[in-house]
Amino acid sequence: MTQTHTPSLRPARRGAFSGHRAGALVFAFVTAFAAFGAHAADAPSPEHKELVAKILKLQQPGIEHVARQLAEQPAAQLLNSAGAALASRVPAERREAVAKELQADAKKYVDEAVPIVRERAIRLAPGTIGTLLEQKFNDDELRQIIAVLENPVWTRYQQLGGEMQATFVEKLVADARPAIDPKVKALEQSMARRLGLDTPAVKPAKKPASR
């Protein structure tokens, strides 16, 4: 059984340039190949359908991963908003308890939602992804795709994708933040002014008159 991941409760960061963890690219090879693939016959043969079914089976973990990300996204967004409200609306002595309650609510949602979306994703895949594969690739091309998907080197490369992306994004954010943070802050201030949300600057205290 695939484990679910509950998004964490974190206060929203203001005026900071942050990288977003991108979703896994499912069917990257298939999508790239589709641009050049030949159209299969209008009436796919049984063998053609079997080849497509095998590709869908090999790609099922990717399909389930996309379904899990889609199901978790609303909880992540709500927790992010709740993190900002937690600091401003909840008394300090209650914040830890409320945070745990919010996390529990999110976990309950994820535990219920992920299996639903996963089941529908697997059910819809043959009529969507499978149909596209049937239309865009002939038997020989499908066999080539299967050979790539079954290649242990390709499998290792896919498994390394998350680590490569995380390393790259971390370095990119660190390198770009000094240039981007001031622009984000300026945009934030400009939008606040237009919405009438800007706070008047605090005047410095007057120095006592010398005697």
Side-chain angles (χ1 to χ4, degrees), residues 115-182:
I116 294 173
V117 181
R118 183 194 301 127
E119 183 275 330
R120 282 161 173 72
I122 295 173
R123 174 165 52 83
L124 291 173
T128 53
I129 301 165
T131 298
L132 182 63
L133 292 172
E134 289 179 0
Q135 294 174 348
K136 295 294 184 180
F137 301 99
N138 59 38
D139 288 1
D140 183 60
E141 290 167 340
L142 292 175
R143 293 189 188 95
Q144 292 180 52
I145 293 172
I146 291 171
V148 170
L149 294 176
E150 292 182 329
N151 189 313
V153 176
W154 173 252
T155 301
R156 285 169 50 207
Y157 174 78
Q158 286 186 309
Q159 292 172 344
L160 191 61
E163 182 180 345
M164 289 189 295
Q165 178 176 295
T167 301
F168 171 72
V169 169
E170 181 182 359
K171 295 295 184 182
L172 176 60
V173 169
D175 186 74
R177 178 177 284 125
I180 296 300
D181 265 356

Side-chain angles (χ1 to χ4, degrees), residues 8-210:
S8 59
L9 177 66
R10 296 179 181 176
R13 296 177 58 194
R14 297 166 59 88
F17 173 63
S18 60
H20 296 280
R21 186 176 182 180
L25 296 179
V26 182
F27 314 120
F29 173 78
V30 174
T31 303
F33 204 166
F36 305 98
H39 288 273
D42 292 338
S45 66
E47 181 182 6
H48 193 77
K49 286 182 172 294
E50 287 178 6
L51 292 170
V52 169
K54 186 170 184 178
I55 291 176
L56 291 177
K57 185 66 176 177
L58 290 169
Q59 290 288 60
Q60 184 168 323
I63 295 171
E64 293 180 354
H65 181 73
V66 169
R68 183 169 64 253
Q69 286 189 319
L70 288 175
E72 291 177 350
Q73 187 176 14
Q77 293 173 339
L78 288 171
L79 282 176
N80 187 57
S81 298
L86 195 64
S88 60
R89 295 178 177 269
V90 179
E93 65 274 11
R94 287 269 299 143
R95 286 173 192 166
E96 183 176 355
V98 172
K100 289 180 179 179
E101 292 171 358
L102 292 170
Q103 287 279 18
D105 290 342
K107 184 179 186 303
K108 181 177 183 293
Y109 160 81
V110 168
D111 290 343
E112 294 175 352
V114 168
I116 294 173
V117 181
R118 183 194 301 127
E119 183 275 330
R120 282 161 173 72
I122 295 173
R123 174 165 52 83
L124 291 173
T128 53
I129 301 165
T131 298
L132 182 63
L133 292 172
E134 289 179 0
Q135 294 174 348
K136 295 294 184 180
F137 301 99
N138 59 38
D139 288 1
D140 183 60
E141 290 167 340
L142 292 175
R143 293 189 188 95
Q144 292 180 52
I145 293 172
I146 291 171
V148 170
L149 294 176
E150 292 182 329
N151 189 313
V153 176
W154 173 252
T155 301
R156 285 169 50 207
Y157 174 78
Q158 286 186 309
Q159 292 172 344
L160 191 61
E163 182 180 345
M164 289 189 295
Q165 178 176 295
T167 301
F168 171 72
V169 169
E170 181 182 359
K171 295 295 184 182
L172 176 60
V173 169
D175 186 74
R177 178 177 284 125
I180 296 300
D181 265 356
K183 297 182 182 298
V184 173
K185 186 175 181 180
L187 174 62
E188 185 179 32
Q189 293 173 343
S190 174
M191 294 176 72
R193 284 195 301 270
R194 293 182 187 280
L195 294 170
L197 300 176
D198 52 322
T199 303
V202 179
K203 295 181 179 180
K206 293 183 179 180
K207 293 182 179 180
S210 58

